[in-house]
Amino acid sequence: MTNISLAERRFLLYSVLTLALSLAAGTAAAKVSGVCGNCHTMHNSQDGAAVAHSGDGAGWAADGSFNAGAASESPIGYLLISDCVGCHSATSDQTIVQLGENRIPIVMNTAQYPTKPLAGGNFYQVSRGETYDGYGHNVYGISEIDGTLTSAPGNNRCGNAESCHNTLAVAPAGGNDYRGGCQGCHYSVYHHKDSTPYLADNTPYRFLTSHDERFGAWVEGVEHASWEHPDDTTLTEHNFYKGVDRNPNDGAESLELKQSNSISSYCAGCHNLFHSNAGIGINTWLRHPTDIALPEDGEYAQYNPVTAYEVQSPVAWVNPATPQRDEAIVMCLSCHRVHGSEHPDILRWDYSQIIAGEANEDGCFVCHTTKD
Ligand code: HEC
Ligand code: HEC
Ligand code: HEC
Ligand code: HEC
Ligand code: HEC
Ligand code: HEC
């Protein structure tokens, strides 16, 4: 380092700066990196013992070993050490497992609801049996079929018993395109790519695609590099979701994902009626509106998500890359998590504590600022 030229120094400084900037941006592509052996096993054998594990309790331990569950006798796709549920589970409280360069986002902690859940929440509660069915999506490998709901509320599209529109808790089969479970929602996964075959340079937000992916049905968004892990999330560094300001004249049908690429249209893939346009624009709604702009006047004037974004009641944006106050959009995830939460109806907060007239700035009051 003693004989370094000015040009080299400038280049070094530039590299450090661009690295710092790209880290500061806090967003990243989905591509995995790091040692193959962390995730793949060539012979399902290490020191004579089976490597692949799956089933109840399988997950990453605090020391970085993968264990519990049962040694897998049946093949796992792509010579992986576990299936979707297993590799995204932890037996500790951690929600990001760091293995060298690999960072594994955890959506299921097998021992407790984690202290620092990621953006989608966590499946822990819904894994605890029927009493907790309402705390999350009942997903194959984590829970049994929901004891109360025989279909996704708002589904008026698909009647087939194995369909993901009716349950996500059955094994891959013909009726769910041999997906089901996690892949009912993360329909196609691309861990080694930043794009899909259909989208040259654009990763769908969190692998959220559908069986109409080739016609453009996927979710747009800007991904926070740490999946909104509470230690790394700030007012400016978080997920940016896609929303649309719906035209009331579109008719009563729900706006399709391939037209809008919005996160709420995505939920509507299975909860179609909950996203219907009926009443939008005439101020008498059957259901709380989604995919409409957050007004800038009245009680909403006090919530400016550009400068004071609230992760507890977030909004989507017409253009997630350039958020503008007049383009902030109410979405399904303004009130819900998706995987699971600590509250019934997968809500982001305890609805029973949101009481009109009482001093409280949480939940509904983030937008309805004058109702507390
Ligand atoms: C952090 C985990 C992880 C690491 C590290 C990793 N992979 Fe993978 N790999 C996956 C997952 C998950 C899949 C299957 C799902 C998919 O394709 O998205 C996969 C799929 C594959 C596939 C089949 C699909 C395809 O895209 O061609 C190949 C081949 C592959 N990996 C090779 C490798 C090699 C070689 C390495 C090391 C250089 C490696 N992987 C490192 C997680 C990993
Ligand atoms: C062997 C480990 C492993 C398996 C098996 C695995 N994943 Fe992953 N997955 C990872 C890692 C590591 C990442 C983080 C990649 C990164 O750094 O963005 C990831 C990321 C993801 C993400 C978030 C993508 C993003 O934009 O950050 C989703 C969604 C996901 N996986 C779903 C699945 C599904 C569904 C399956 C089963 C088909 C699966 N994974 C199987 C290791 C795995
Ligand atoms: C692939 C289909 C599918 C998608 C996409 C989907 N859901 Fe669901 N959802 C279901 C099914 C099936 C049920 C009923 C069974 C259950 O609870 O798992 C359900 C139930 C729910 C429940 C009630 C939970 C309960 O048990 O009382 C909520 C809340 C919910 N979904 C919200 C969402 C939100 C928000 C999104 C978008 C981020 C979404 N869903 C996307 C299929 C889906
Ligand atoms: C009902 C649809 C649905 C199901 C079922 C589902 N996911 Fe997700 N997942 C999502 C959505 C939507 C997001 C984006 C959440 C956000 O950014 O707020 C997401 C985000 C993720 C992430 C990124 C971490 C985070 O919390 O944002 C991972 C990893 C992931 N999912 C893995 C899985 C795995 C593994 C399963 C099965 C055990 C699964 N998902 C089941 C819809 C689903
Ligand atoms: C303004 C907050 C808010 C928004 C936005 C919202 N929900 Fe809800 N959702 C709730 C609350 C609160 C409940 C609990 C039941 C109730 O009070 O209606 C609920 C309940 C549900 C249920 C369970 C219904 C049942 O029969 O058990 C589903 C499914 C659901 N929401 C899906 C969605 C979907 C899909 C979207 C977007 C199209 C959405 N929600 C947007 C607040 C919201
Ligand atoms: C992200 C912001 C946001 C959150 C969070 C939110 N709302 Fe709303 N809410 C709106 C917007 C925007 C409207 C429509 C305003 C308009 O155009 O007049 C609305 C409309 C309503 C209306 C109908 C008002 C009317 O004039 O007809 C009710 C009732 C309501 N919300 C209750 C709730 C409850 C209860 C919660 C919590 C469970 C909640 N909202 C959470 C933004 C939000």
Side-chain angles (χ1 to χ4, degrees), residues 84-85 88 105 107 118-121 123 137 139 142 168 181-182 185-186 205-206 208 227 239 241 263 266 333 338-339:
C84 315
V85 175
H88 285 285
V107 300
L118 302 179
F123 286 105
H137 277 103
V139 165
I142 292 183
L168 293 157
C182 310
C185 291
H186 302 285
Y205 181 79
R206 305 296 183 210
L208 297 172
W227 308 279
N239 289 322
Y241 305 91
I263 186 78
Y266 171 79
L333 295 181
V338 65
H339 294 147

Side-chain angles (χ1 to χ4, degrees), residues 52-238:
H53 276 71
S54 61
D56 237 8
W60 297 95
D63 67 1
S65 62
F66 190 84
N67 56 17
S72 199
E73 294 304 325
S74 45
I76 301 179
Y78 308 111
L79 302 178
L80 288 162
I81 57 157
S82 190
D83 52 20
C84 315
V85 175
C87 193
H88 285 285
S89 292
T91 54
S92 71
D93 188 48
Q94 284 169 300
T95 47
I96 295 180
V97 171
Q98 183 91 40
L99 302 170
E101 281 180 57
N102 298 142
R103 295 163 80 225
I104 304 181
I106 299 303
V107 300
M108 165 71 184
N109 293 77
T110 59
Q112 69 281 305
Y113 198 88
T115 19
K116 295 178 177 172
L118 302 179
N122 196 273
F123 286 105
Y124 172 72
Q125 292 289 10
V126 75
S127 76
R128 298 173 67 195
E130 197 168 336
T131 322
Y132 292 92
D133 275 348
Y135 288 66
H137 277 103
N138 293 51
V139 165
Y140 179 67
I142 292 183
S143 9
E144 301 297 319
I145 296 179
D146 194 298
T148 315
L149 299 173
T150 52
S151 179
N155 166 36
N156 66 346
R157 285 172 162 166
C158 191
N160 148 25
E162 287 164 346
S163 156
C164 298
H165 300 242
N166 291 323
T167 177
L168 293 157
V170 294
N176 59 28
D177 284 4
Y178 296 96
R179 284 176 166 78
C182 310
Q183 290 205 267
C185 291
H186 302 285
Y187 190 86
S188 307
V189 291
Y190 303 97
H191 286 79
H192 282 287
K193 300 194 183 74
D194 285 332
S195 63
T196 81
Y198 312 106
L199 305 161
D201 300 310
N202 218 334
T203 318
Y205 181 79
R206 305 296 183 210
F207 304 147
L208 297 172
T209 56
S210 89
H211 43 72
D212 279 352
E213 179 179 350
R214 63 190 183 283
F215 306 117
W218 49 277
V219 178
E220 221 180 281
V222 179
E223 299 169 342
H224 180 242
S226 301
W227 308 279
E228 287 188 353
H229 188 285
D231 290 348
D232 295 335
T233 303
T234 66
L235 277 180
T236 50
E237 289 177 28
H238 50 77

Side-chain angles (χ1 to χ4, degrees), residues 323-335:
Q324 307 286 324
R325 175 62 187 88
D326 61 350
E327 294 181 347
I329 305 291
V330 184
M331 61 172 172
C332 308
L333 295 181
S334 294
C335 303

Side-chain angles (χ1 to χ4, degrees), residues 19-35:
L19 178 66
L21 279 175
S22 59
L23 290 177
T27 55
K31 208 168 170 170
V32 297
S33 49
V35 187

